[in-house]
């Protein structure tokens, strides 16, 4: 497994109460020694720590890493040479700081052209056919497809990419040891086997349903941050029926980060279909484009060139 001392130090710092993403972005720099990190921690912590305590926690993290070695190819942290550049404008507290991965981490390089394709868990045949058509065109034009490995539209995006010999990135809410959803474990293995990437912020399983729900939301944010554009196939809007999907959050994050947003939608066909309620909602916000499916690759590329999405450069 590949990792740096910087990554382990950041994982260790994260274990202290009150130390979050923003603090780490602002205070821990690449290749700093433990004494310096502990000194900075003690300017924040209510109960000061020590070098010995930091090293004790660090050793327990290293032991855990040995236990998951067969599931993980590497761990990368902010400041590492291979740490991904994030697209868009993002606050320090929402930046990823540590990522576990299996597969080709270079697919997240700023020069790689990535587009997220997302949607609901139970697409109808029309949605599946249209999404398959668009993803095929994008893959054949050299785009890497990002999605969340969920059933439904996410699975269509990943599988269509594989069927067309393309590269796809699955952003997970789970550890790499316990792939979620479990029914897509084989799909995850195919993604890696075919040169793609599995990526997650988590090295351990969630300990509660509440924590897992939060992880899904964090996953939705990463789908936007790792993509030059995002395409919504179809989705319900927020409701009390239990069929609201994470696509809503991913589209919200994309808007906040100024990532170009597209939807697949035909007014005369879809206007009465509740599975396009979210689509209509984001269209009403005025910064989302209905994608011409026949020219999808050209439109996405032109938008990438013209929008000049801010890219978070290495901080150190």
């Amino acid at each position: 497994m590949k990792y740096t001392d910087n990554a382990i130090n950041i994982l260790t710092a994260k274990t202290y109460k009150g130390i979050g993403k923003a603090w780490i972005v602002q205070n821990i720099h690449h290749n700093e020694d433990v004494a310096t990190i502990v000194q900075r921690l003690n300017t924040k912590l209510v109960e000061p720590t020590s070098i010995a305590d930091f090293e004790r926690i660090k050793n327990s993290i290293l032991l855990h890493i040995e236990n998951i070695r067969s599931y993980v190819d590497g761990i990368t942290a902010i400041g590492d040479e291979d740490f991904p550049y994030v697209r868009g404008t993002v606050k320090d507290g929402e930046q990823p700081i540590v990522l576990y991965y299996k597969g080709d981490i270079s697919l997240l390089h700023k020069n790689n052209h990535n587009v997220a394709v997302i949607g609901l868990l139970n697409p109808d045949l029309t949605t599946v056919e249209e999404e398959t058509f668009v993803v095929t065109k994008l893959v054949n034009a050299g785009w890497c497809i990002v999605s969340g490995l969920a059933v439904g539209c996410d699975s269509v995006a990943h599988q269509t990419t594989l069927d067309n010999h393309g590269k796809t990135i699955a952003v997970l809410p789970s550890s790499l040891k316990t792939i979620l959803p479990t029914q897509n474990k084989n799909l995850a293995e195919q993604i890696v086997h075919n040169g793609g990437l599995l990526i997650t912020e988590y090295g351990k399983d969630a300990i509660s349903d509440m924590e897992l729900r939060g992880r899904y939301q964090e996953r939705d944010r990463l789908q936007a941050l790792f993509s030059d554009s995002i395409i919504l196939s179809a989705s319900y809007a927020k409701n009390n029926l239990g069929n609201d999907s994470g696509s809503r959050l991913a589209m919200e994050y994309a808007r906040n980060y100024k990532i170009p947003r597209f939807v697949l939608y035909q007014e005369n066909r879809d206007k009465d279909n509740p599975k396009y309620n979210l689509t209509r909602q984001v269209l009403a916000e005025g910064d989302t484009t209905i994608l011409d499916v026949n020219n999808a690759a050209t439109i996405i590329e032109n938008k990438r060139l013209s929008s000049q999405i801010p890219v978070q450069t290495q901080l150190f």
Side-chain angles (χ1 to χ4, degrees):
M1 185 195 305
K2 180 181 178 182
Y3 58 84
T4 64
D5 196 51
N6 171 65
I8 308 305
N9 284 340
I10 288 177
L11 282 170
T12 304
K14 280 178 78 248
T15 66
Y16 286 92
K17 185 177 181 179
I19 301 301
K21 294 184 179 72
W23 189 92
I24 288 175
V25 168
Q26 295 162 13
N27 290 277
I28 298 185
H29 301 165
H30 185 43
N31 284 334
E32 288 182 315
D33 58 32
V34 168
T36 300
I37 295 172
V38 168
Q39 182 181 35
R40 290 183 181 164
L41 283 170
N42 284 335
T43 66
K44 171 71 172 179
L45 299 176
V46 175
E47 297 183 5
T49 188
S50 65
I51 293 175
D53 188 58
F54 190 95
E55 293 286 5
R56 177 186 60 79
I57 298 171
K58 185 173 178 178
N59 287 333
S60 70
I61 289 172
L62 288 169
L63 180 61
H64 170 69
I65 288 172
E66 285 301 312
N67 291 334
I68 62 173
R69 179 176 290 276
S70 61
Y71 304 98
V72 182
D73 287 345
I75 305 169
T76 184
I78 190 166
D80 287 345
E81 185 177 354
D82 62 354
F83 191 74
Y85 289 77
V86 297
R87 279 72 168 170
T89 303
V90 56
K91 299 175 182 177
D92 289 345
E94 295 182 20
Q95 287 192 40
I97 54 173
V98 179
L99 296 163
Y100 299 77
Y101 66 89
K102 190 172 186 64
D104 186 2
I105 190 66
S106 73
L107 293 178
L108 290 176
H109 192 275
K110 66 177 181 179
N111 292 332
N112 207 58
H113 297 170
N114 299 338
V115 56
V117 181
I118 60 174
L120 73 179
L121 303 178
N122 59 338
D124 55 32
L125 181 59
T126 298
T127 299
V128 170
E129 290 177 343
E130 188 170 56
E131 180 182 332
T132 300
F133 181 81
V134 168
V135 171
T136 299
K137 282 187 168 292
L138 290 167
V139 171
N140 290 339
W143 284 83
C144 178
I145 305 301
V146 179
S147 202
L149 201 71
V151 298
C153 288
D154 287 16
S155 296
V156 171
H158 293 305
Q159 190 62 58
T160 302
T161 303
L162 296 176
D163 292 344
N164 286 276
H165 311 291
K167 299 293 193 297
T168 184
I169 299 167
V171 186
L172 306 179
S174 61
S175 71
L176 291 166
K177 182 178 179 180
T178 308
I179 299 292
L180 293 178
T182 55
Q183 58 263 51
N184 273 351
K185 183 178 179 180
N186 288 339
L187 177 58
E189 292 173 353
Q190 291 176 45
I191 288 171
V192 174
H193 180 74
N194 287 277
L197 174 69
L198 307 179
I199 194 86
T200 180
E201 292 184 287
Y202 308 107
K204 297 181 179 180
D205 297 335
I207 61 174
S208 68
D209 289 342
M210 180 178 295
E211 181 182 352
L212 183 57
R213 285 195 295 271
R215 290 184 175 194
Y216 274 102
Q217 181 170 335
E218 294 294 287
R219 183 275 309 272
D220 297 333
R221 134 189 159 275
L222 287 187
Q223 289 180 99
L225 284 176
F226 290 150
S227 302
D228 298 289
S229 294
I230 188 166
I231 301 171
L232 175 65
S233 292
S235 184
Y236 297 98
K238 186 175 183 179
N239 57 62
N240 297 317
L241 302 177
N243 53 16
D244 177 25
S245 78
S247 298
R248 174 178 57 83
L249 294 172
M251 293 297 279
E252 287 179 5
Y253 282 122
R255 188 184 194 199
N256 292 338
Y257 301 150
K258 298 180 173 58
I259 304 295
R261 304 192 302 175
F262 295 87
V263 295
L264 304 181
Y265 186 68
Q266 295 182 34
E267 175 68 23
N268 60 344
R269 182 196 68 191
D270 305 323
K271 63 180 180 179
D272 297 321
N273 189 337
K275 293 183 180 182
Y276 289 88
N277 282 348
L278 179 63
T279 300
R280 286 185 283 272
Q281 179 179 307
V282 297
L283 283 171
E285 291 170 351
D287 60 351
T288 302
T289 304
I290 296 175
L291 189 62
D292 178 349
V293 297
N294 293 304
N295 298 293
T298 300
I299 293 169
I300 296 293
E301 173 63 7
N302 288 342
K303 190 67 174 180
R304 184 188 69 83
L305 293 172
S306 64
S307 63
Q308 296 183 334
I309 304 172
V311 175
Q312 176 65 57
T313 58
Q314 289 282 20
L315 299 178
F316 317 118

